[in-house]
Structures are given as structure tokens and as C-alpha cells.
């Protein structure tokens, strides 16, 4: 330890005032400088030597340390060595607090003669206190939107020591976001602030714990720490994110209402309302909105209308997810409608030749049929058939076209009309079918000659008949249609015993009734033959071979002719004469 003797004028004046009655009193002032907290008994200095006192006489002179008033006695004098020693604990902080110099006044009193020496004890600071923060924990709430460079003041750390032993600086535990800025206040005190060096992101890290250390300048250095707890507050800095950029779903047509097609989902990393997601269609046409619903909260897409694959097989919609403050993101929803066998085939009659002539050769095409099915894939594969027992068949042609062709000879006289039923069946499961009837008529061809009902005819005529009287009638049948079946009768010209047939008989061309042209005379002809020809009125006409008609003339009493008499002008009832007899 070092001592610095000081002799001051003020000391002399005071001493004089104080010990006015003491004649031989002498005055001095001595000061010592030493560190605080020295053990009791430690030597501060040799006061006897400093003041030039005789050590051997100290006892005799009752040398002692005294204090003014009731302040404590901190040192003592060793009477055998003259050394000043520590008598009491000297805690600089306790004695002087923050004062930069800590001086204790003591007095050395000697008697015979009385002497009084002032002693100044300069207690020097040692670094026996660490820096300390007021709180155990420093709390901050900082929004994640805080900008880089934002500053946050930190509580100062305090150190009871003085000078260099006070807080000299701060350090911050290494971290990703903050650095420390240390400032000096007037008076030399240091304080620190947190400076945001890299932006916070609540979604990455919701809170940070940083250790702040304050250090003093003593030797050895002492330090104190505090934990800084930073809570990162949310900002709406995240838009919702859809789990998929495109949602694809497939739905059978005619699905029942309220069927859930797909559930879309988006997540938002933000907190509270900033992270609440609402789903919506984005600029979707009214038509689609009437077919599909999107639950704002759950993201469920349901069907609310009738979807028809044949009308629209695919729907594409934009959907949005928005958070509480309106940050949005978008995704695409594609709904593929799958076919269900809900359409029966439709049979179209493209062309039909009706009537068809009955002489059409087998294989003649009489119609073209087209079959269509609005479904797809197997549901639109169609098979066509017609009923059995008709002389027609369907021949598949290109695509869904079929030719209706004849398979055999037609005969109008047997079947003049056909009701052809075409059935079309698709290959769906279950299959659907439809049918259509086609009316087909067969047109007549003059393919039948008139045929007499009998091989030959015979008539009996009584002589002296009236000219013009009907003799009998012949009938030929022709099954053809109209003119082609209309029979016209005529007599084959010729001679009977040198007489022209036409001068003996006539025939009604329409009815086949044969008339006598003149009165017959049994004595002239007993019997004669004529040939009747039947032809039809077709074009060209067809004729039968001739039929033979034998006329027998009967002899009667000349006075009493018995034949039926009728005027030529009035029609003769067919049964008047009766048919010519079968021979
Ligand atoms: C044709 O046949 C179908 C089915 O057998 C039937 O429903 C329809 O009435 C018939 N048409 C005629 C004109 O006979
Ligand atoms: C009669 O037959 C001919 C062919 O021989 C035909 O052209 C004509 O149309 C037929 N007449 C009637 C009325 O069917």
C-alpha cells in the first residue's frame, strides 16, 4: 500500500480551533490509499514513521485512533510497530456508494504533549461486484413485419463498483436476427439496444431467447446476464396455399344431388384471422354455379344440379382461397363427367323405297337405316336386328348405317304389305334398346294372266231365240292389281259352217256374258263351238289360252218358243241365263 502524507493549512486552522486550550499540541495530516475489503489486521501503512513519531514512546503517550462524532473506527495503531492496521471491514460500496472517491476521516491522538493528526483513508474500489440487470427476464413482443434496422432499447445493467469496474459493455449471444448496438450515456454509463438485422418470420420461429451479457472493466472481469424473450407477433404475410395446383375429380353423370365430388384444401401459415381460409369459385359462369357448390369453410365441392355427360363431359373452374385479410391464392378444379348408359339408341330411316315392285330381285336394297346412340364407348355400340319370317335382312354398312335388302322373291298377290320391326340394342350395362316399325308395300307387276274358272263351257239355246238374248257367261280371274287384274273378254274370230262367228254370237267384254246375235234354227245348226279369249288390261297385256264354248241348239215346237226374251237395251241380269255349263 501507498501512503501520501499531506499537511494542509485548513487542517491547522481546524486543529487550532478545536484544541484551543492545548499549548503543546501539534497538528498533522496523513493519508493512506488502499483497496477495500482488506482483512482485519492487514497493515495500511506505518503512520509513526510517516509522522516522525518515536515508536518506543507510543505506548507511554497513549497513542490511539479516534473518530469524530459517532462514526466508526476503521483502523488501529499497533503501539509496538507504529503501523496502521485494518480494524473494521471496509466495503467501499457500503461506505461511499457511487462516489468516485471514498475517503474516511480518522484521527490519531497522542498525549503528553497532546497531538492530533488527521488521517484520510482513501478506500479504493476493487471489482467485487458483478453487473446486474433489474429483471431476470426482458420481454419483447415484436411484429414479424418489423423492418430491418428496427431498434429496441434494453434495460441497463448496474454494477455497484465504480470507474473501470462499472459496466463497460454488452454482448449478445449469436443469433440469426438481432445484433447489439451499445451506446454511452452522458456520464459514461453504457446501455444497449437490440437492432433487427434480419426480418422475423413467425411462421418459422414464434419466439426467440437471447442471452444478453453485461461486462465490467475490472480484473478479473465480472459479468451479468439476462435472458431476452422475444415473442414474434403475426402479420398477415402468408397467403393460403392450396394442397394441389389442380384438383381433378371424376363423376358419373346423373349422380344424385349433394354428392361430394372432391374436397379442396388450402392452408395458411398465419395465426388467427390471418390464417382463416375461405373458399370460393372465382369468376365461374352461372351455369356452373347452378351445378356445383363449394362449401366456404370445408372446401367440399358438391353437385347441386343435373350433370349430363352428353351435354358437357368436363367442367373446369377456378377456385380461390382467401384468408381473413384477403390474401388469396388460386387453384383449378377439373371435373370429368363419366358416361352412364342413359340413352337408348335412336333409329333413323334415311331412305325407303316403298312400294317396291314385286319382281325385285333378291338382294335389292329397299332402305337405308342409321342408328345413333348419344352415349359413348361401349354404351354407344349398337347392334341392329329385324324380326324373323320376313324376306328382308339388315346388311351392316359403314359406321352405323345398315341397308335393308330383300332376301327372296316377293309376291304381292301373297303378301302386299310388310310391317318390318327393327330393334337396336346397345352394349351398355344394363343395355338399352329401341325399335321402329317400317311399313313396306309391294307394288304390282302384271305377272298373272287371267285364268278361266273352267276348262270349257257349254250352253243350251232353244231355237227361234230372240236375237240379242243372252246365252251364258264365262268368267276368268286375274289376281293382279287394278288394270293388271282387269279382265277383258272377246270372241276369237272364225267361221262356223261358212258363217262368221261375229254374226252368230257377241260377248260383253267386261262381264263375259255371251249373247245370240240372231235367232238360231235347229235345222241349220244343232251345235257349234266358239273360242273366248280373256286378256287383262295391263301394259303389256297378258292373255290366257282360249277357252272353248259349245253352243247346243235345242228343237222346240215352233209355236211355243220358250226362251227368255229381253230387249237389248236393258241390261241382262247375270243369273238370267246362268253361267255356261261345265261340259
Ligand atoms: C307393326 O308392328 C308393330 C310391332 O309388332 C306394331 O306395334 C305396329 O302396330 C304394327 N303396325 C302396323 C301398321 O300393323
Ligand atoms: C301393272 O303392272 C305394270 C308392270 O307390269 C306396272 O308398271 C303397273 O304399275 C301395274 N299397274 C298397277 C295399277 O299396279
Amino acid at each position: 500500500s501507498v501512503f501520501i502524507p499531506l499537511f494542509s493549512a485548513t487542517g491547522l486552522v481546524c486543529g487550532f480551533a478545536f484544541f484551543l486550550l492545548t499549548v503543546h499540541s501539534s497538528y498533522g495530516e496523513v493519508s493512506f490509499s488502499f483497496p477495500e475489503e482488506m482483512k482485519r489486521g492487514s497493515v495500511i501503512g506505518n503512520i509513526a514513521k510517516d509522522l516522525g513519531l518515536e515508536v518506543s514512546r507510543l505506548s507511554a503517550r497513549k497513542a490511539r485512533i479516534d473518530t469524530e462524532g459517532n462514526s466508526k473506527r476503521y483502523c488501529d495503531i499497533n503501539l509496538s510497530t507504529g503501523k496502521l492496521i485494518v480494524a473494521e471491514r471496509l466495503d467501499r460500496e457500503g461506505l461511499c456508494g457511487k462516489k468516485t472517491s471514498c475517503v474516511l476521516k480518522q484521527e490519531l491522538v497522542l498525549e503528553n504533549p497532546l497531538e492530533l493528526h488527521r488521517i484520510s483513508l482513501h478506500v479504493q474500489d476493487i471489482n467485487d461486484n458483478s453487473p446486474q440487470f433489474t429483471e431476470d427476464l426482458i420481454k419483447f413482443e415484436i411484429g414479424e413485419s418489423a423492418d430491418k434496422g428496427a431498434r429496441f432499447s434494453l434495460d441497463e445493467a448496474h454494477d455497484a463498483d465504480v470507474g473501470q469496474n462499472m459496466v463497460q459493455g454488452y454482448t449478445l449471444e449469436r443469433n440469426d436476427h438481432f445484433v447489439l448496438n451499445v451506446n454511452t450515456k452522458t456520464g459514461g454509463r453504457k446501455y444497449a439496444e437490440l437492432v433487427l438485422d434480419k426480418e422475423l418470420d413467425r411462421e418459422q420461429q414464434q419466439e426467440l431467447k437471447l442471452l444478453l451479457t453485461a461486462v465490467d472493466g475490472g480484473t478479473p472481469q465480472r459479468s451479468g446476464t439476462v435472458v431476452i424473450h422475444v415473442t414474434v407477433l403475426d402479420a398477415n404475410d402468408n397467403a393460403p396455399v392450396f394442397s394441389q395446383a389442380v384438383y381433378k375429380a371424376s363423376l358419373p353423370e346423373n349422380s344424385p344431388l349433394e354428392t361430394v365430388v372432391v374436397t379442396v384444401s388450402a392452408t395458411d401459415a398465419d395465426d388467427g384471422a390471418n390464417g382463416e381460409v375461405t373458399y370460393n369459385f372465382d369468376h365461374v359462369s352461372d351455369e356452373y354455379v347452378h351445378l356445383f357448390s363449394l362449401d366456404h369453410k370445408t372446401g367440399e365441392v358438391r353437385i347441386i344440379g343435373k350433370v349430363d355427360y352428353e351435354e358437357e363431359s368436363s367442367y373446369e373452374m377456378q377456385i380461390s382461397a382467401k384468408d381473413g385479410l384477403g390474401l388469396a391464392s388460386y387453384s383449378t378444379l377439373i371435373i370429368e363427367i363419366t358416361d352412364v348408359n342413359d340413352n337408348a339408341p335412336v333409329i333413323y330411316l334415311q331412305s325407303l323405297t316403298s312400294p317396291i315392285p314385286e319382281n325385285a330381285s333378291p338382294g335389292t336394297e329397299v332402305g337405308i337405316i342409321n342408328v345413333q346412340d348419344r352415349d359413348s364407348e361401349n354404351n354407344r355400340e349398337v347392334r341392329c336386328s329385324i324380326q324373323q319370317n320376313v324376306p328382308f335382312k339388315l346388311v351392316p354398312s359403314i359406321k352405323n348405317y345398315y341397308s335393308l335388302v330383300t332376301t327372296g322373291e316377293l309376291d304381292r298377290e301373297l303378301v302386299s304389305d310388310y310391317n318390318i320391326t327393327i330393334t337396336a340394342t346397345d352394349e351398355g350395362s344394363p343395355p338399352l334398346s329401341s325399335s321402329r316399325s317400317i311399313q313396306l308395300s309391294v307394288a304390282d307387276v302384271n305377272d298373272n294372266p287371267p285364268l278361266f274358272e273352267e276348262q270349257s263351257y257349254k250352253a243350251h239355246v232353244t231355237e227361234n231365240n230372240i236375237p240379242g238374248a243372252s246365252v251364258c257367261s264365262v268368267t276368268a280371274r286375274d289376281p293382279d292389281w287394278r288394270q293388271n287384274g282387269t279382265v277383258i273378254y272377246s270372241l276369237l274370230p272364225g267361221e262356223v259352217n261358212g258363217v262368221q262367228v261375229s254374226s252368230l254370237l257377241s260377248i260383253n267384254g267386261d262381264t263375259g256374258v255371251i249373247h245370240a246375235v240372231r235367232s238360231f234354227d235347229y235345222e241349220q245348226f244343232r251345235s257349234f263351238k266358239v273360242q273366248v279369249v280373256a286378256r287383262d288390261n295391263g301394259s303389256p297385256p297378258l292373255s290366257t289360252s282360249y277357252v272353248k264354248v259349245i253352243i247346243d241348239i235345242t228343237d222346240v215346237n215352233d209355236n211355243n218358243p220358250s226362251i227368255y226374251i229381253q230387249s237389248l237395251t236393258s241390261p241382262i241380269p247375270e243369273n238370267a241365263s246362268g253361267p255356261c255349263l261345265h261340259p
Side-chain angles (χ1 to χ4, degrees):
S1 67
V2 188
F3 69 88
I4 307 151
L6 292 170
F7 299 92
S8 75
T10 51
L12 290 172
V13 174
C14 275
F16 175 75
F18 199 71
F19 301 101
L20 191 61
L21 300 173
T22 318
V23 182
H24 294 290
S25 58
S26 72
Y27 313 98
E29 182 157 343
V30 65
S31 71
F32 299 94
S33 182
F34 59 95
E36 59 173 326
E37 304 287 4
M38 287 190 6
K39 282 190 187 138
R40 283 197 186 83
S42 301
V43 175
I44 297 168
N46 194 326
I47 192 166
K49 197 177 168 193
D50 290 348
L51 292 173
L53 301 173
E54 268 182 75
V55 175
S56 55
R57 291 203 64 222
L58 289 176
S59 260
R61 292 187 66 185
K62 296 181 180 171
R64 62 180 185 276
I65 302 296
D66 230 340
T67 59
E68 268 182 47
N70 48 9
S71 80
K72 231 176 190 170
R73 194 158 57 84
Y74 290 101
C75 54
D76 244 328
I77 184 159
N78 183 328
L79 296 177
S80 51
T81 61
K83 288 179 179 172
L84 195 65
I85 56 171
V86 175
E88 200 55 53
R89 181 186 169 214
L90 286 158
D91 173 24
R92 193 206 63 78
E93 288 75 32
L95 297 168
C96 303
K98 278 286 170 192
K99 283 187 214 151
T100 44
S101 92
C102 182
V103 183
L104 304 173
K105 302 286 186 189
Q106 309 270 283
E107 287 165 354
L108 173 65
V109 181
L110 298 135
E111 296 177 10
N112 194 19
L114 176 68
E115 280 183 33
L116 190 134
H117 300 278
R118 291 200 156 184
I119 306 170
S120 291
L121 299 177
H122 292 259
V123 181
Q124 291 180 341
D125 186 41
I126 63 166
N127 193 19
D128 56 348
N129 287 286
S130 299
Q132 264 196 333
F133 290 94
T134 332
E135 312 280 345
D136 294 342
L137 191 65
I138 300 175
K139 286 188 178 175
F140 282 110
E141 289 188 338
I142 302 176
E144 60 177 326
S145 57
D147 292 328
K148 177 176 170 160
R151 284 156 189 265
F152 307 91
S153 288
L154 295 167
D155 285 342
E156 215 177 307
H158 292 276
D159 190 319
D161 295 321
V162 293
Q164 274 299 114
N165 295 335
M166 291 199 307
V167 174
Q168 296 301 309
Y170 296 89
T171 57
L172 183 69
E173 174 193 3
R174 270 185 84 89
N175 70 91
D176 291 339
H177 292 281
F178 292 98
V179 293
L180 204 61
N181 183 35
V182 180
N183 297 314
T184 309
K185 283 186 184 171
T186 48
R189 277 160 48 187
K190 310 267 192 191
Y191 71 96
E193 41 187 24
L194 277 183
V195 179
L196 186 61
D197 191 44
K198 179 175 170 250
E199 281 85 353
L200 297 167
D201 184 356
R202 191 199 65 84
E203 289 71 36
Q204 269 193 354
Q205 199 174 4
Q206 286 200 19
E207 47 183 40
L208 291 86
K209 279 188 176 154
L210 310 168
L211 192 67
L212 177 67
T213 306
V215 291
D216 61 25
T219 318
Q221 196 175 47
R222 285 175 172 266
S223 62
T225 59
V226 68
V227 172
I228 302 173
H229 186 265
V230 177
T231 304
V232 184
L233 300 180
D234 188 47
N236 192 26
D237 56 351
N238 287 284
V241 178
F242 274 106
S243 62
Q244 288 170 235
V246 175
Y247 291 89
K248 276 192 178 165
S250 131
L251 177 79
E253 61 175 328
N254 309 330
S255 286
L257 299 187
E258 294 301 322
T259 302
V260 175
V261 184
V262 65
T263 302
V264 300
S265 132
T267 50
D268 189 307
D270 290 326
D271 205 21
N274 293 340
E276 255 170 42
V277 177
T278 307
Y279 303 97
N280 270 302
F281 286 125
D282 185 57
H283 296 102
V284 168
S285 73
D286 280 359
E287 181 207 340
Y288 287 17
V289 167
H290 289 124
L291 285 180
F292 300 102
S293 70
L294 172 57
D295 190 299
H296 300 313
K297 290 254 170 278
T298 64
E300 276 181 345
V301 178
R302 286 171 192 269
I303 169 171
I304 54 168
K306 181 174 156 49
V307 283
D308 184 358
Y309 174 84
E310 286 72 35
E311 259 173 40
E312 191 126 27
S313 65
S314 167
Y315 295 88
E316 187 171 328
M317 288 163 272
Q318 189 83 358
I319 50 173
S320 69
K322 282 188 182 155
D323 65 24
L325 290 177
L327 283 183
S329 66
Y330 301 88
S331 180
T332 303
L333 173 61
I334 297 175
I335 300 175
E336 305 278 3
I337 307 299
T338 55
D339 187 42
V340 164
N341 193 22
D342 60 346
N343 288 284
V346 181
I347 301 167
Y348 295 97
L349 182 60
Q350 298 284 346
S351 73
L352 181 68
T353 313
S354 178
I356 46 164
E358 56 181 325
N359 64 351
S361 52
T364 302
E365 182 178 271
V366 298
I368 292 173
I369 281 137
N370 177 239
V371 184
Q372 293 178 14
D373 191 305
R374 295 182 66 217
D375 294 318
S376 58
E377 313 268 314
N378 276 353
N379 295 339
R380 73 177 302 155
E381 292 297 323
V382 177
R383 281 159 199 268
C384 259
S385 63
I386 60 173
Q387 84 268 38
Q388 305 278 310
N389 307 327
V390 287
F392 298 97
K393 67 173 179 184
L394 282 175
V395 177
S397 179
I398 44 162
K399 267 175 96 188
N400 286 327
Y401 283 88
Y402 294 84
S403 299
L404 180 64
V405 298
T406 59
T407 56
E409 307 280 350
L410 301 176
D411 186 351
R412 190 202 66 84
E413 288 73 34
L414 283 177
V415 184
S416 62
D417 289 286
Y418 287 97
N419 182 6
I420 298 170
T421 303
I422 296 171
T423 305
T425 307
D426 65 29
E427 293 186 1
S429 166
L432 293 176
S433 63
S434 62
S435 58
R436 175 167 183 161
S437 297
I438 297 174
Q439 310 308 317
L440 197 70
S441 324
V442 181
D444 188 46
V445 165
N446 194 17
D447 55 355
N448 289 288
L451 284 181
F452 284 103
E453 288 174 339
E454 306 299 338
Q455 299 267 312
S456 60
Y457 294 88
K458 191 174 206 168
H460 297 277
V461 182
T462 313
E463 65 174 334
N464 301 331
N465 58 301
I466 292 172
S470 73
V471 175
C472 71
S473 69
V474 294
T475 307
R477 308 259 172 219
D478 187 326
D480 288 326
W481 184 243
R482 301 245 163 110
Q483 293 98 314
N484 292 338
T486 304
V487 180
I488 298 165
Y489 303 95
S490 62
L491 287 169
L492 187 73
E495 286 183 8
V496 176
N497 294 344
V499 180
Q500 290 292 319
V501 167
S502 57
S503 60
L504 294 173
L505 296 172
S506 72
I507 189 163
N508 183 320
D510 294 333
T511 62
V513 176
I514 298 171
H515 300 271
V517 173
R518 62 169 173 180
S519 184
F520 297 133
D521 180 359
Y522 177 78
E523 285 68 34
Q524 195 179 1
F525 302 113
R526 298 222 173 135
S527 172
F528 66 89
K529 294 188 286 193
V530 294
Q531 305 261 27
V532 175
V533 182
R535 61 174 177 84
D536 61 32
N537 204 14
S539 165
L542 287 183
S543 307
T544 60
S545 43
Y546 317 100
V547 76
K548 186 170 69 180
V549 179
I550 300 165
I551 310 291
D552 284 335
I553 299 162
T554 326
D555 185 25
V556 293
N557 184 340
D558 282 341
N559 296 326
N560 190 15
S562 66
I563 200 160
Y564 184 83
I565 299 164
Q566 180 158 12
S567 143
L568 273 176
T569 54
S570 58
I572 300 158
E574 206 168 296
N575 59 353
S577 59
C580 302
L581 295 174
H582 184 61

